mmCIF file of all heavy atoms in Angstrom:
data_model
loop_
_atom_site.group_PDB
_atom_site.id
_atom_site.type_symbol
_atom_site.label_atom_id
_atom_site.label_comp_id
_atom_site.label_asym_id
_atom_site.label_seq_id
_atom_site.Cartn_x
_atom_site.Cartn_y
_atom_site.Cartn_z
ATOM 1 N N MET A 63 -0.688 22.586 -24.168
ATOM 2 C CA MET A 63 -1.306 23.663 -24.964
ATOM 3 C C MET A 63 -2.703 23.231 -25.494
ATOM 4 O O MET A 63 -2.823 22.240 -26.209
ATOM 5 C CB MET A 63 -0.417 23.957 -26.180
ATOM 6 C CG MET A 63 -0.948 25.103 -27.023
ATOM 7 S SD MET A 63 -0.827 26.710 -26.122
ATOM 8 C CE MET A 63 0.848 27.137 -26.497
ATOM 9 N N PRO A 64 -3.761 23.914 -25.062
ATOM 10 C CA PRO A 64 -5.100 23.519 -25.523
ATOM 11 C C PRO A 64 -5.218 23.765 -27.043
ATOM 12 O O PRO A 64 -4.545 24.644 -27.588
ATOM 13 C CB PRO A 64 -6.034 24.462 -24.763
ATOM 14 C CG PRO A 64 -5.237 25.032 -23.666
ATOM 15 C CD PRO A 64 -3.818 25.053 -24.149
ATOM 16 N N ASN A 65 -5.984 22.901 -27.691
ATOM 17 C CA ASN A 65 -6.162 23.039 -29.121
ATOM 18 C C ASN A 65 -7.621 22.738 -29.414
ATOM 19 O O ASN A 65 -8.035 21.611 -29.725
ATOM 20 C CB ASN A 65 -5.254 22.001 -29.815
ATOM 21 C CG ASN A 65 -5.412 22.030 -31.321
ATOM 22 O OD1 ASN A 65 -6.125 22.851 -31.879
ATOM 23 N ND2 ASN A 65 -4.740 21.151 -31.989
ATOM 24 N N VAL A 66 -8.459 23.807 -29.295
ATOM 25 C CA VAL A 66 -9.916 23.648 -29.288
ATOM 26 C C VAL A 66 -10.447 22.976 -30.553
ATOM 27 O O VAL A 66 -11.390 22.213 -30.475
ATOM 28 C CB VAL A 66 -10.595 24.997 -29.059
ATOM 29 C CG1 VAL A 66 -12.073 24.803 -28.781
ATOM 30 C CG2 VAL A 66 -9.924 25.748 -27.904
ATOM 31 N N SER A 67 -9.819 23.183 -31.650
ATOM 32 C CA SER A 67 -10.373 22.628 -32.881
ATOM 33 C C SER A 67 -10.253 21.102 -32.948
ATOM 34 O O SER A 67 -10.979 20.459 -33.662
ATOM 35 C CB SER A 67 -9.684 23.229 -34.093
ATOM 36 O OG SER A 67 -8.284 22.991 -33.993
ATOM 37 N N ASP A 68 -9.301 20.521 -32.164
ATOM 38 C CA ASP A 68 -9.090 19.072 -32.206
ATOM 39 C C ASP A 68 -9.587 18.333 -30.948
ATOM 40 O O ASP A 68 -9.090 17.306 -30.641
ATOM 41 C CB ASP A 68 -7.587 18.762 -32.447
ATOM 42 C CG ASP A 68 -7.276 18.924 -33.901
ATOM 43 O OD1 ASP A 68 -8.170 19.042 -34.701
ATOM 44 O OD2 ASP A 68 -6.030 18.948 -34.165
ATOM 45 N N ARG A 69 -10.523 18.967 -30.190
ATOM 46 C CA ARG A 69 -10.840 18.379 -28.897
ATOM 47 C C ARG A 69 -11.643 17.061 -29.055
ATOM 48 O O ARG A 69 -12.373 16.883 -30.069
ATOM 49 C CB ARG A 69 -11.550 19.343 -27.993
ATOM 50 C CG ARG A 69 -12.888 19.813 -28.474
ATOM 51 C CD ARG A 69 -13.294 21.089 -27.687
ATOM 52 N NE ARG A 69 -13.538 20.796 -26.266
ATOM 53 C CZ ARG A 69 -14.727 20.487 -25.787
ATOM 54 N NH1 ARG A 69 -15.765 20.411 -26.568
ATOM 55 N NH2 ARG A 69 -14.895 20.257 -24.514
ATOM 56 N N LEU A 70 -11.433 16.140 -28.040
ATOM 57 C CA LEU A 70 -12.190 14.895 -27.960
ATOM 58 C C LEU A 70 -12.134 14.008 -29.240
ATOM 59 O O LEU A 70 -13.134 13.443 -29.606
ATOM 60 C CB LEU A 70 -13.643 15.198 -27.541
ATOM 61 C CG LEU A 70 -13.812 15.828 -26.194
ATOM 62 C CD1 LEU A 70 -15.255 16.243 -25.970
ATOM 63 C CD2 LEU A 70 -13.380 14.879 -25.069
ATOM 64 N N GLN A 71 -10.990 13.968 -29.826
ATOM 65 C CA GLN A 71 -10.860 13.105 -31.027
ATOM 66 C C GLN A 71 -10.434 11.715 -30.598
ATOM 67 O O GLN A 71 -9.674 11.528 -29.653
ATOM 68 C CB GLN A 71 -9.737 13.660 -31.952
ATOM 69 C CG GLN A 71 -10.088 15.079 -32.414
ATOM 70 C CD GLN A 71 -9.749 15.255 -33.854
ATOM 71 O OE1 GLN A 71 -9.037 14.463 -34.456
ATOM 72 N NE2 GLN A 71 -10.216 16.354 -34.424
ATOM 73 N N GLY A 72 -10.951 10.700 -31.291
ATOM 74 C CA GLY A 72 -10.578 9.332 -31.002
ATOM 75 C C GLY A 72 -9.166 9.019 -31.484
ATOM 76 O O GLY A 72 -8.535 9.866 -32.152
ATOM 77 N N PRO A 73 -8.610 7.873 -31.126
ATOM 78 C CA PRO A 73 -7.249 7.522 -31.540
ATOM 79 C C PRO A 73 -7.144 7.542 -33.077
ATOM 80 O O PRO A 73 -8.044 7.074 -33.778
ATOM 81 C CB PRO A 73 -7.109 6.109 -31.018
ATOM 82 C CG PRO A 73 -8.062 6.011 -29.838
ATOM 83 C CD PRO A 73 -9.233 6.873 -30.275
ATOM 84 N N SER A 74 -6.060 8.082 -33.593
ATOM 85 C CA SER A 74 -5.854 8.183 -35.028
ATOM 86 C C SER A 74 -4.362 8.149 -35.321
ATOM 87 O O SER A 74 -3.541 8.144 -34.384
ATOM 88 C CB SER A 74 -6.489 9.436 -35.546
ATOM 89 O OG SER A 74 -5.789 10.551 -35.015
ATOM 90 N N GLY A 75 -3.994 8.237 -36.584
ATOM 91 C CA GLY A 75 -2.638 8.298 -36.957
ATOM 92 C C GLY A 75 -1.921 9.489 -36.389
ATOM 93 O O GLY A 75 -0.728 9.469 -35.994
ATOM 94 N N GLU A 76 -2.665 10.590 -36.335
ATOM 95 C CA GLU A 76 -2.009 11.844 -35.827
ATOM 96 C C GLU A 76 -1.985 11.819 -34.315
ATOM 97 O O GLU A 76 -0.955 12.166 -33.717
ATOM 98 C CB GLU A 76 -2.809 13.057 -36.333
ATOM 99 C CG GLU A 76 -2.022 14.329 -36.154
ATOM 100 C CD GLU A 76 -2.843 15.535 -36.457
ATOM 101 O OE1 GLU A 76 -4.022 15.434 -36.925
ATOM 102 O OE2 GLU A 76 -2.334 16.666 -36.180
ATOM 103 N N TYR A 77 -3.140 11.498 -33.693
ATOM 104 C CA TYR A 77 -3.196 11.398 -32.219
ATOM 105 C C TYR A 77 -3.391 9.926 -31.837
ATOM 106 O O TYR A 77 -4.465 9.421 -31.860
ATOM 107 C CB TYR A 77 -4.339 12.212 -31.688
ATOM 108 C CG TYR A 77 -4.308 13.655 -32.107
ATOM 109 C CD1 TYR A 77 -5.299 14.209 -32.936
ATOM 110 C CD2 TYR A 77 -3.291 14.490 -31.604
ATOM 111 C CE1 TYR A 77 -5.278 15.549 -33.312
ATOM 112 C CE2 TYR A 77 -3.277 15.851 -32.000
ATOM 113 C CZ TYR A 77 -4.252 16.354 -32.822
ATOM 114 O OH TYR A 77 -4.219 17.633 -33.190
#
Side-chain angles (χ1 to χ4, degrees):
Chain A
M63 184 68 85
N65 179 5
V66 191
S67 58
D68 280 348
R69 64 196 294 267
L70 296 172
Q71 301 221 347
S74 65
E76 196 189 351
Y77 304 114

